[in-house]
Each structure stands twice: as structure tokens, then as C-alpha cells.
Amino acid sequence: IATAKASASPENLPTLRSWHHGLIARAAGANPAYAPATRLAKRWVAAHQLSNHVPEEVVGLLMAAVFTD
């Protein structure tokens, strides 16, 4: 748990965002269905009023895991 707190520190935030963007871009480039499926997943999360509990970045990473595995 200590590493999770350390990785979310303000000085590491640009690095994490860069890593996140690269991962999402790679998943979207490899599969054209990634973007519409991710939008649908984000709509599902919002429709079930889970947006306060599940950040958009997490939904994107979950969808990237589905499309890359």
C-alpha cells in the first residue's frame, strides 16, 4: 500500500499520466473497436451511478486489458 501512495504523489503524476496515455493510445491503435467499447463502458458506469467510485482512467485501463489479453 505504501508504494501505491508513493506512486500517486504529485511529482510522479506527470509520469503516470504519460504512461496511461501511451497505454491507451497503443490499445486504441491496435483495435478500432476499443474507443467505442470504452465509451460504452464509461456510459454504463455513469448509468449505474458508479462514476464517483470508479474513475474514467480505471475504466479505460480495464478496457485496455480486455482488448490486449
Side-chain angles (χ1 to χ4, degrees), residues 19-39:
W19 173 81
H20 175 80
H21 177 73
L23 182 67
I24 298 303
R26 197 169 344 146
N31 195 327
Y34 170 80
T38 301
R39 282 194 300 273

Side-chain angles (χ1 to χ4, degrees), residues 32-64:
Y34 170 80
T38 301
R39 282 194 300 273
L40 180 62
K42 289 178 181 181
R43 284 187 66 184
W44 184 89
V45 168
H48 287 84
Q49 299 178 350
L50 297 172
S51 298
N52 291 336
H53 306 287
V54 182
E56 285 188 20
E57 292 84 1
V58 172
V59 176
L61 289 173
L62 287 171
M63 293 302 291

